[in-house]
Amino acid sequence: MSGAIAVGAAGSWARALVKISPYTFSAIGIAVAIGVSVLGAAWGIYITGSSLIGAAIKAPRITSKNLIRYVMNC
């Protein structure tokens, strides 16, 4: 009897997925792609900034202001 409940539940999920518009799946995919790219950009900026700050602390004779200006123009 519990097997019949599991099959019915799986069937309802399948029916729900079939009824969702393909445009909804594409919109969700686009939103996830944009979100992941924003998170990746933020992570890259964080890593670059911490590397520049670490370099400025380790070698203070090199001005970090010039490094940042150079990195932002590239």
Side-chain angles (χ1 to χ4, degrees), residues 10-25:
S12 65
W13 278 106
R15 276 185 272 138
L17 286 176
V18 169
K19 289 186 178 187
I20 296 174
S21 170
Y23 297 111
T24 304
F25 284 118

Side-chain angles (χ1 to χ4, degrees), residues 14-66:
R15 276 185 272 138
L17 286 176
V18 169
K19 289 186 178 187
I20 296 174
S21 170
Y23 297 111
T24 304
F25 284 118
S26 65
I28 291 170
I30 291 169
V32 168
I34 291 172
V36 169
S37 70
V38 168
L39 287 175
W43 180 256
I45 291 169
Y46 171 73
I47 295 297
T48 303
S50 61
S51 297
L52 288 174
I53 295 299
I57 291 171
K58 190 169 183 177
R61 66 185 178 278
I62 302 172
T63 58
S64 60
K65 186 168 62 173
N66 291 338

